[in-house]
Amino acid sequence: MGDKANAPTGAAGRAATADRPDSVRNVVLVGHSGSGKTTLVEALALTAGAVNRAGRVEDGQTVSDYDEIEHRQQRSVQLSLVPLSWDGIKINLLDTPGYADFVGELRAGLRAADAALFVVSAAQDAAGIAGTTRAVWEECVSVGMPRAIVVTHLDTARTGYDELTQVCGRIFGGDDPDAVLPLYLPLYGAQRADGHAPVTGLTGLLTQRLFDYTSGRREETSPGDDQQQLIAEARNRLIEGIIAESEDETLMDRYLGGDEIDVKTLIGDLERAVARGVFHPVLAAAPAADGAAQGLGTVELLELITRGFPTPRERPAPPVTTPDGGTRPAATCDPTGPLVAEVIRTASDPYVGRLSLVRVFSGTLRPDETVHVSGHGMTERGHADHDVDERIGALSAPFGKQQRTLSQCVAGDIACVARLNRAETGDTLSAKDDPLLMEPWVMPDPLLPLAIAAHSKADEDKLSQGLSRLVAEDPTMRLEQNPDTRQLVLWCLGEAHLDVALDRLRSRYGVQVDAVPYRVPLRETFGARSVGRGRHVKQSGGHGQFAICEIEVEPLPPGAGIEFVDKVVGGSVPRQFIPSVEKGIRAQAARGLASGHPLVDVRVTLLDGKAHSVDSSDAAFQTAGALALREAARDAPIHLLEPVAELQVLVPDDFVGPVMSDISGRRGRVVGTEQVGSESTLVRAEVPETEIGRYAVDLRSVSHGTGRFSRSYVRHEPMPPQVADRVREQAENGL
């Protein structure tokens, strides 16, 4: 690697193609927001000849342009695909959002990729490798995905390159920091007035060659004696790190015995160690200067991708079954095998309709063929299960805002598919006569609620269709029609996620919605025994109404619901009307008593009553039962019950104290902690749900973006009197 300067094989505006899996590399870019991922993608596109020197394709757009929302919000909000060609290899670069709210897009990129580039900015502090980035690294470790690290923003660095590579080794290397080592060292020019020195080139540690980019293209030279001395220590450590991960067990003995291991052998071992996911090289990169044809470090990075990252054949596909759960052999990356593909992103285009980004794991996908679409279904998130045949439209590769037509998409490749109107993100495409279903990837739970209402009658007519399309595109959203509060609630991952959802509803689907206060489903119960008498007597013309009943109400333990007991003796309430009394009581309990919330956990005993042989009826005794319950409530304390959730909060040890203090401030009770790994703690607590509506946002602030949590309903329990009074006052004022 680094021993030759490859020339681009693509041309600006031409879509890269692949005819076999071995000629494909699928790479996902991971990094915190602002780390420079999108800029790096554009720099690689320029070096590969996919764009011209102005960074533009034929239609005048940048190669990564897609969503107008990204332009308005000045950040990446969705996964984007940029296909390049280098040295006869098609490279599918999957650029992911760096903001934590869009981790669903990141997970989709990880699913479609066979290797990951972690982009780290030197302009941040050494501690700036965000917790979300570390968490993604651990996900890659768990599945053995090959990884490399790219350092950006060296010209404005707060942290020196040497120091930052050491931080990467400590954070990403864990018990083996020598598995994370630099392949190149930067060359610096004269110091500028702002105190920073521009990076003018790189020194290849294995080849001991200098790569100078000052002319706008990489030029290779030999280092002087003084430069060789400077790189000797880093080179020796790199060689030892490569040999330690080598499959050739004799290399270490030869090296320790004083043998000089030739560069070709070292590069071969390095490439194999990277492809196996046991060695993670660190590189540096920067965008091209004005008028330059190549960005610094981009040639080296493209060489690493094409020669060190695995082909799709080398990565196992996710397990597959039949749609009804039957077992099937593992899918292999064979263009002639059975078709197994997966929708990794769904988007709507104003001109061509729905576009699905599809990764083919087996077989070959061709335009205008009929495929079977199998969906796991996530009913709780508004995604219905489905099992249908669909005829797909054209296949294409994205290029700016244009789509370049493809004749096919072979196993291992990624393409856009038009007119898949039923398929959603996460669905499986297979042959219509051999339906298959891939094991789904893990989606984060949306934990930030937003209650919405249509802005006008015209918006109300379009709201249902707009929301269904929205959740079809983004499975990390959950749409809920709450049966207790009768609110329409959109659950998202954070405030930025909510902003994008509302923006898409407005700009893409023409639906304007208003945010309304989110209501937690409360309950009421009796605080003491009480009695009530319901009298419903009317004799004003026509058929009269007559019904009287006397009841006793007593509280029950939490979770008991409503229990109805008949203790009428002597037939004072005819047997046919006793169910009517119960029906009226239960209807009134559902409507609530003191503050309009359902009544629970009481036993209602029917003691006595009166009936009329002509004027009594089912309706009259229902009304009397409701009146009796309301009268009993006037003479008894009515407690307001609030739902309590169990929170499980996973945070680094440094933030355990602030997290526990924050929970206490929310009227929460910490019920236990346990150590997870060497540096994290799981805090378990019970907290009223009225206090955690915005916890997804607040935890991110308290833990500096490193905390994660889950929540589950435990029970309803009495609300403190001062809080209950405030809720009742708000209910009376219509808030």
Side-chain angles (χ1 to χ4, degrees), residues 53 68 82 161 165 183 237 248 254 288 292 383 396 418 489 501 507:
R53 291 190 179 186
E68 292 296 333
V82 178
Y161 181 78
T165 56
L183 287 185
R237 189 181 178 197
D248 185 350
R254 290 169 51 197
H383 298 258
S396 59
V489 182
S507 61

Side-chain angles (χ1 to χ4, degrees), residues 58 64 119 172 182 307 364 390 409 413 421 448 517 539 541 547 554 562:
E58 291 174 357
S64 56
V119 183
F172 295 138
R307 299 170 59 185
T364 299
E390 276 202 89
C409 184
D413 203 359
N421 296 321
L448 181 65
Q539 294 290 340
E554 52 190 324
I562 296 180

